[in-house]
Amino acid sequence: MHAHEEPTKTAARPAPLPVPHPSAGHTARPGTAGLTPESAAALQRTAGNAAVARTVGQVRQPWQASGPTGTTVQRMPPKRDRDTAGLERGDSPPPRRATRGSTKVFDLDKPTLTFTSAYDGPASQRLDADQSIGFTQAAALHNPAGAPLSPASNYHFWQEVTDSNVQIIPARSTEGVPSERPWQQDGPYKPPYNNAVIVSDRNAITFNDDPGFSTTSKLTAGYWLASYSVSFRWKVARNTGAFNRGAPAWTSGVVTHTLTSDFDPESPDAPAPIRARAAGNRTWTVDLGATGDDA
């Protein structure tokens, strides 16, 4: 080309579209395997970009699936989130997070029975005065932790007693007079728990008791208590309706209070020491699946 000549103007051709090369890892469909960058450029010059695009579109990509003849349907890989990926690996679904309500575990067959006691009387006995000689105690039935409803709704709870004593009435004789009671229901300590000596609330059923010659049953002047023994046991059954002492029930071990005091006929007006031993404190785990005594 000479310096004074104008360059020959030719019609501008569109820039060639990029064409995937077989070495890029894609396999061309039959009939397009010979399409190289050079042949694509030639095709572009003669037929234009549209033909190249159509030809390139016939190359199936890994995520494409064949549709009707002459068409391709593109299926993009589904979106994967953390949960989907875990399921695809065969993992189990994530466990449900425990809530405060779902973690409560309780066994209505396993309430707890507690017992506390002490001697509650004078250190010595006198013949010439009324005296309150006895013990104090409390037996309480507690719901299992987390159990619904109140203990009174869940259980029938009652107290049984047996006792014996020897009293001397010096005005009549210096010989002791024995007395004994077999096991029996102990007064008001039973359902429906409506006596003033019973506290029944959301936490427990509590039997408050003062066994012995105390409170309203004081040992009156002129009587001497030479010995006294009183024993208790408790029974528990599920509350399934009307209270029935004959129903199968768990029975506690036996607790016993004792005391003695020596009377001197030669000095009847002289005080004498009282030797008392309370039953102490106990705790039982009730098992309503068991029967018989549980010491």
Side-chain angles (χ1 to χ4, degrees):
M1 182 185 299
H2 299 286
H4 64 276
E5 291 179 341
E6 294 292 330
T8 304
K9 295 181 180 179
T10 60
R13 295 184 182 277
L17 291 174
V19 180
H21 193 274
S23 64
H26 303 300
T27 303
R29 292 177 57 190
T32 64
L35 189 62
T36 66
E38 293 77 9
S39 58
L43 180 61
Q44 182 185 31
R45 286 193 297 270
T46 58
N49 285 339
V52 176
R54 286 194 300 272
T55 303
V56 173
Q58 294 175 0
V59 179
R60 188 189 308 170
Q61 301 301 324
W63 58 83
Q64 292 176 326
S66 297
T69 304
T71 66
T72 59
V73 179
Q74 184 170 340
R75 305 191 188 280
M76 297 300 294
K79 182 179 179 182
R80 287 158 49 94
D81 55 25
R82 183 172 56 189
D83 293 338
T84 303
L87 291 174
E88 288 177 357
R89 291 194 303 269
D91 297 344
S92 299
R96 183 171 64 90
R97 188 174 70 177
T99 63
R100 182 174 299 177
S102 67
T103 58
K104 289 183 178 179
V105 177
F106 55 86
D107 185 352
L108 283 180
D109 280 346
K110 298 291 181 66
T112 301
L113 174 59
T114 60
F115 171 76
T116 59
S117 68
Y119 173 65
D120 186 26
S124 60
Q125 183 173 189
R126 296 172 54 187
L127 183 63
D128 61 352
D130 293 349
Q131 286 188 293
S132 181
I133 301 174
F135 302 85
T136 184
Q137 67 183 42
L141 182 68
H142 308 262
N143 256 342
L149 305 179
S150 66
S153 298
N154 292 327
Y155 307 105
H156 286 156
F157 177 44
W158 64 102
Q159 178 172 299
E160 296 182 339
V161 64
T162 181
D163 62 7
S164 64
N165 71 86
V166 175
Q167 296 184 42
I168 299 173
I169 309 172
R172 300 179 186 174
S173 171
T174 57
E175 295 295 326
V177 178
S179 175
E180 184 174 357
R181 284 191 302 173
W183 283 107
Q184 59 188 260
Q185 169 61 40
D186 189 13
Y189 299 104
K190 60 183 176 59
Y193 320 117
N194 55 4
N195 192 278
V197 295
I198 301 174
V199 177
S200 179
D201 56 27
R202 184 66 182 80
N203 298 315
I205 305 166
T206 304
F207 294 159
N208 297 299
D209 196 1
D210 297 292
F213 297 83
S214 58
T215 59
T216 59
S217 302
K218 294 181 180 180
L219 195 69
T220 59
Y223 287 77
W224 187 272
L225 184 60
S227 66
Y228 176 57
S229 175
V230 58
S231 299
F232 297 90
R233 66 189 182 194
W234 294 269
K235 293 193 174 184
V236 181
R238 289 293 292 272
N239 184 350
T240 58
F243 172 51
N244 176 13
R245 281 196 297 271
W250 175 90
T251 304
S252 76
V254 174
V255 300
T256 302
H257 308 298
T258 61
L259 70 81
T260 59
S261 183
D262 298 329
F263 176 72
D264 184 0
E266 300 299 326
S267 303
D269 294 328
I274 295 175
R275 297 178 295 272
R277 187 182 67 182
N281 304 329
R282 296 286 299 274
T283 298
W284 295 272
T285 297
V286 177
D287 185 356
L288 294 180
T291 59
D293 290 350
D294 179 11

